[in-house]
Amino acid sequence: MDNNSKNIKWHALSFMCFSTLWGFANVVNGFMYFNGIQVIFSWLMMFALYFIPYALMVGELGSAFKNKGGGVTSWVQEVASSKIAYYAGWTYWAVHVSYIAGKSSTGLKAIGWLVFRNAETYDKFPTLFIQLASLIVLLLFCYIASKGLNPLKKLATIAGSSMFVLSILYIILMFGAPLINPNGGYISIDWSLKNLIPNFNIEYITSLSILVLAVGGIEKISPYVNKMEGNSAREFPKSMFFAAIMVVVCALFGTIAMGMMFDPKIINANIEIKNSYISNGAYWAFQKLGQYYGVGDLLLLIYSACTAIGQFSTLVLSIDAPLRMLLDDENASRYVPKALLQKNANGAYTNGIIMVAVLSGSIILAQMPVRNVAAVLTQLNKLNSICMPFRYIWVFFAYIMLKKKDGKFSQEYQFVKNKTLGMIIGAWCLFVTLFCCVTGVYSPDLSTLILNIATPVVLMVLGVILPKIREIQDKKEADKLL
């Protein structure tokens, strides 16, 4: 396709956005963390007050910087400075540290279900044993990345597409199950108003980061704003609203489908049971679905296989791609110690990969004392919901600065034309992101609280220290030339 052609229809972009954003894990996490169908209220609020303005801001940024291929980092570079753009690039890389640590564990969990077909066998393994296995997996894939190999890239695409199809298929099959098997033992959902309104307590507030993580990342579709067929000022908002409707429908109907399977009272009976549902809920859902249709564990095995392939293939991509985005950038590389810029014969940033192994491996090792495997996965799930959304902050920062420099950049599409209103909306989304990330840090479990605090603090401090090291290196080189 010619890069200058405009032949992406609005509905095609909607499906691209939807498939990038949404997955079955979002439905499961929302249901488990927010007391079953009570999450419906929270989903609607999150979509209306955060996701839709977020998506439309991304459209305006993509339109304003249509010739910039670096995404958020290049946006920040244009509206601020190269030093601030470095911090944006660093944040994008740093948030993947906990994400990478989680991929090893979730990949092994999927294999556990594939082999044992139950939660109990794998979850009863000693945490020390599982964490050592997770560390070995991490080091293995770091080695693969260092060889410049990416044999799993195509598998990642296939697995990702399969997971998307399975997410939609789950909803369809679950709603059809009572017709096929009326005596399947479904849960009767209580639709009273009391059961729909959540309890706005400390647990609710500290779990909001889970929803922010679920609806974030739409900036990936920004390069396509100016490639839309017709007038992008009209077609892009239409595309985003349609995508939002699809996400809302899947969130709502997916939640209802989960409500027909699982009783929130059982899930919330105690912390150990809840941890088990958070780490195993998706597998139990497909196992039950297969039982409703009389196909045994077939759907479970398909889901487990797709999950295992997806987690491990994403692991090697997450080690390599964000690192290259940071170190390949000419502006960002000016603030990074030269040792991290060294490449081997395969074109891989070996010292950068070692840094990934040390940081992500440290998280894995820090979880060795955790009481059981289910608690480990729950801990990682929450840690990712705290760290990953930090990268969205730079989207809103870039938008605020774009509106502040009103009229400086030409653009075909504008979310709002009023400068002040645009800055207010950008500041609102930035506040929501920060609020959810910061409040999400709290946990009554001391080890989880320490990990939630230590991980982002260490990564932020490291991001500040590295430019100082580079500054000293550059000064020494300059002094030698005098």
Side-chain angles (χ1 to χ4, degrees):
M1 182 180 71
D2 183 357
N3 288 334
N4 295 318
S5 64
K6 304 177 75 173
N7 57 2
I8 299 180
K9 297 183 183 295
W10 70 268
H11 50 80
L13 188 63
S14 292
F15 281 104
M16 288 170 62
C17 175
F18 176 59
S19 61
T20 299
L21 273 176
W22 201 246
F24 188 59
N26 295 329
V27 176
V28 176
N29 285 337
F31 189 88
M32 301 304 174
Y33 277 97
F34 291 88
N35 198 29
I37 63 168
Q38 285 185 2
V39 74
I40 291 175
F41 174 89
S42 303
W43 278 131
L44 292 175
M45 292 299 99
M46 188 61 70
F47 291 134
L49 300 179
Y50 186 80
F51 171 66
I52 291 176
Y54 174 13
L56 298 178
M57 277 187 274
V58 164
E60 185 169 343
L61 286 162
S63 181
F65 308 116
K66 57 188 174 183
N67 296 319
K68 300 294 178 180
V72 178
T73 305
S74 61
W75 297 345
V76 175
Q77 170 77 26
E78 291 297 309
V79 299
S81 67
S82 59
K83 183 66 173 288
I84 298 177
Y86 154 75
Y87 286 120
W90 172 262
T91 302
Y92 186 89
W93 175 82
V95 298
H96 282 81
V97 169
S98 61
Y99 182 75
I100 289 168
K103 289 299 168 186
S104 299
S105 298
T106 49
L108 289 176
K109 160 63 81 171
I111 290 178
W113 268 97
L114 196 60
V115 174
F116 304 116
R117 303 190 190 184
N118 64 67
E120 293 75 21
T121 304
Y122 182 83
D123 287 353
K124 286 180 180 177
F125 285 139
T127 306
L128 176 64
F129 173 79
I130 294 297
Q131 292 307 96
L132 285 175
S134 298
L135 182 62
I136 291 170
V137 169
L138 170 65
L139 296 177
L140 172 63
F141 281 96
C142 282
Y143 173 78
I144 292 173
S146 72
K147 293 300 179 182
L149 302 174
N150 196 355
L152 303 177
K153 189 171 183 178
K154 290 183 179 179
L155 284 178
T157 303
I158 295 170
S161 301
S162 300
M163 291 299 290
F164 171 69
V165 172
L166 285 171
S167 299
I168 305 301
L169 193 62
Y170 169 79
I171 297 173
I172 296 172
L173 291 178
M174 190 55 216
F175 275 90
L179 300 176
I180 303 296
N181 184 6
N183 300 315
Y186 313 102
I187 302 294
S188 179
I189 299 176
D190 179 6
W191 290 104
S192 64
L193 185 61
K194 180 182 178 181
N195 196 47
L196 290 173
I197 302 300
N199 297 316
F200 300 101
N201 52 25
I202 188 68
E203 184 179 358
Y204 178 87
I205 293 172
T206 57
S207 296
L208 287 172
S209 58
I210 294 290
L211 301 185
V212 171
L213 176 63
V215 299
I218 200 171
E219 58 272 11
K220 294 176 184 177
I221 58 97
S222 61
Y224 304 103
V225 175
N226 293 289
K227 297 177 183 178
M228 296 190 68
E229 188 178 86
N231 182 1
S232 60
R234 182 180 65 254
E235 298 300 301
F236 184 78
K238 186 199 304 184
S239 176
M240 290 301 97
F241 276 117
F242 188 68
I245 290 171
M246 287 193 291
V247 170
V248 169
V249 168
C250 282
L252 299 187
F253 283 97
T255 298
I256 295 170
M258 294 287 289
M260 296 166 64
M261 281 187 169
F262 304 112
D263 186 349
K265 291 180 181 178
I266 295 176
I267 296 171
N268 296 317
N270 60 60
I271 189 63
E272 298 299 336
I273 292 176
K274 187 166 185 176
N275 286 343
S276 187
Y277 270 92
I278 290 171
S279 61
N280 297 295
Y283 300 97
W284 278 327
F286 277 93
Q287 188 174 48
K288 280 176 173 274
L289 192 63
Q291 292 169 357
Y292 294 152
Y293 280 84
V295 294
D297 288 338
L298 176 62
L299 295 178
L300 166 67
L301 294 175
I302 293 172
Y303 178 78
S304 301
C306 289
T307 301
I309 294 169
Q311 295 300 311
F312 289 135
S313 55
T314 303
L315 175 57
V316 71
L317 289 175
S318 298
I319 292 169
D320 184 64
L323 192 63
R324 289 184 183 275
M325 289 180 67
L326 175 66
L327 300 182
D328 281 348
D329 185 88
E330 293 181 2
N331 294 306
S333 62
R334 293 162 47 196
Y335 301 98
V336 174
K338 292 185 177 181
L340 290 177
L341 301 176
Q342 293 178 3
K343 292 184 179 181
N344 62 14
N346 301 307
Y349 290 102
T350 48
N351 290 330
I353 292 173
I354 291 173
M355 183 168 66
V356 171
V358 170
L359 292 171
S360 296
S362 296
I363 293 175
I364 292 173
L365 292 174
Q367 290 188 292
M368 283 185 173
V370 175
R371 57 188 175 274
N372 57 55
V373 177
V376 167
L377 291 172
T378 302
Q379 200 175 71
L380 285 170
N381 198 27
K382 194 64 186 296
L383 181 62
N384 278 326
S385 78
I386 296 165
C387 293
M388 289 297 279
F390 268 110
R391 60 184 174 150
Y392 312 151
I393 288 171
W394 292 107
V395 175
F396 307 127
F397 170 81
Y399 187 75
I400 293 169
M401 296 302 293
L402 174 66
K403 301 311 287 186
K404 187 177 181 180
K405 299 175 182 289
D406 189 35
K408 181 177 179 180
F409 304 98
S410 62
Q411 54 205 93
E412 294 181 31
Y413 164 71
Q414 283 186 294
F415 167 33
V416 289
K417 294 184 178 181
N418 184 277
K419 172 183 174 181
T420 304
L421 179 60
M423 291 179 70
I424 290 173
I425 296 174
W428 161 255
C429 287
L430 192 151
F431 166 76
V432 170
T433 307
L434 268 177
F435 176 81
C436 293
C437 287
V438 172
T439 56
V441 167
Y442 172 76
S443 172
D445 179 71
L446 182 60
S447 65
T448 301
L449 179 62
I450 292 172
L451 189 66
N452 289 349
I453 295 173
T455 303
V457 168
V458 168
L459 292 172
M460 284 190 286
V461 169
L462 189 59
V464 173
I465 290 175
L466 293 186
K468 300 294 184 183
I469 296 174
R470 179 58 183 267
E471 186 179 335
I472 294 171
Q473 290 177 337
D474 290 342
K475 188 176 185 302
K476 285 184 178 179
E477 288 189 2
D479 291 341
K480 287 181 181 179
L481 296 175
L482 295 177

